[in-house]
Each structure stands twice: as C-alpha cells, then as structure tokens.
C-alpha cells in the first residue's frame, strides 16, 4: 500500500439510490460530511464525483465495503467493489476500501445527538456515514485495503 500521509481524501458511502461523500485531510486527520448525491443514474453520479474531484483534488478515494457482523462479505459488497473499481478506472486515483460495518448506525447516532431525528436524517445520513468511513480510514489506515 502506498504511503499517503498528506493531502485531501474523499470518502464514499455507496448506495443504489444515494452516494454519501465526505472530505478530510491527512494533516488534520478529520473527516467532514460533504454532500449526498441523490441519483440512481450512474452518469449523473460520476459527473458530480468528477466535479468534486476537480474541486478538492484528492490524493486518494476511500470506499466503505459492507460486511456482516462476523466479518463475512455482505451480498452488496460486489456492487460496492464495482463502484470502487469504476472510481479507480475513471479518475486514476488510488482507491482504498474499509469495513463499513455499523457506519450508518454510527451516523444515525451522531445525528440523533445533534437533534436530527427520524425522517429529517434522510438527506444527511449518507454523507455522515461517508464521514464515518473516511474517519475510520484516518484512524485505522493500516487495516485499509487498496484495490489492485
């Protein structure tokens, strides 16, 4: 795995209806929710991701990979892996994946603590889940996996 200890990173929580995006820098080691791409159309999704990459100029992209509680691969994992491979192929940036177990639960908990509950969470949940994924990468980068 290449040593990436400086620069901006974008994190993604991939879903069939929405893609949460977060941003952070190695220098601070903190992830922040950025936006939720609410489109099921791949061309629209990747057009927006291209804009974000142009704007933020990340050194790498981080994708959450779903797993079951016992660590077994979730049936949605191949779809997430396909998304990660497309990111790498389209943008030529290193792409890493981390175990995203509990990222949505943690995101919901964070939003509850901030007084955002129920249906009000929907527009923010995916980007806060992406924040959890990217923060996990910062905190545990040694356990991240690079696409090969």
């Amino acid at each position: 795995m290449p040593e990436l200890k400086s620069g901006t990173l974008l994190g993604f929580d991939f879903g069939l209806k929405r893609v949460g995006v977060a941003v952070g820098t190695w220098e601070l080691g903190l992830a922040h929710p950025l936006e939720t791409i609410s489109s099921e159309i791949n061309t629209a999704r990747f057009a927006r991701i291209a804009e974000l990459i142009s704007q933020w100029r990340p050194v790498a992209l981080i994708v959450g990979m779903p797993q079951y509680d016992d660590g077994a691969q979730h049936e949605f994992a191949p779809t997430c892996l396909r998304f990660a491979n497309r990111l790498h192929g389209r943008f030529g940036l290193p792409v890493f994946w981390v175990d995203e177990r509990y990222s949505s639960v943690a995101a919901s908990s964070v939003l509850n603590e901030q007084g955002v509950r129920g249906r009000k969470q929907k527009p923010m949940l995916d980007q806060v889940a992406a924040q959890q994924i990217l923060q996990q990468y910062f905190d545990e980068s040694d356990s991240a996996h690079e696409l090969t």
Side-chain angles (χ1 to χ4, degrees), residues 12 26 36-37 68 73 89 95 102-103 123 133:
F12 297 92
W26 265 115
T36 298
I37 302 169
Y68 287 109
Q73 187 180 62
V95 177
Y102 314 118
S103 63
I133 290 165

Side-chain angles (χ1 to χ4, degrees), residues 34-102:
L34 185 59
E35 74 175 69
T36 298
I37 302 169
S38 296
S39 177
E40 296 179 42
I41 301 168
N42 273 337
T43 54
R45 288 176 174 202
F46 281 101
R48 182 62 189 138
I49 291 169
E51 291 171 359
L52 292 171
I53 287 173
S54 177
Q55 177 183 357
W56 291 95
R57 302 197 184 286
V59 296
L61 307 174
I62 313 304
V63 176
M65 198 66 57
Q67 296 182 329
Y68 287 109
D69 289 345
D70 65 0
Q73 187 180 62
H74 191 277
E75 64 263 5
F76 190 60
T79 306
C80 291
L81 186 58
R82 193 166 34 256
F83 171 74
N85 281 320
R86 285 179 179 165
L87 287 174
H88 178 68
R90 288 179 188 225
F91 304 111
L93 293 167
V95 177
F96 298 88
W97 64 268
V98 296
D99 176 1
E100 73 163 27
R101 252 180 299 185
Y102 314 118

Side-chain angles (χ1 to χ4, degrees), residues 108-127:
S108 182
S109 178
V110 166
L111 290 169
N112 278 329
E113 289 172 13
Q114 295 176 355
V116 181
R117 293 183 174 79
R119 291 184 179 175
K120 292 181 180 179
Q121 286 189 359
K122 188 175 182 178
M124 295 174 258
L125 188 63
D126 298 293
Q127 60 189 277

Side-chain angles (χ1 to χ4, degrees), residues 9-24:
L9 291 93
L10 290 179
F12 297 92
D13 178 41
F14 177 77
L16 295 177
K17 296 184 179 191
R18 292 175 303 280
V19 178
V21 186
V23 64

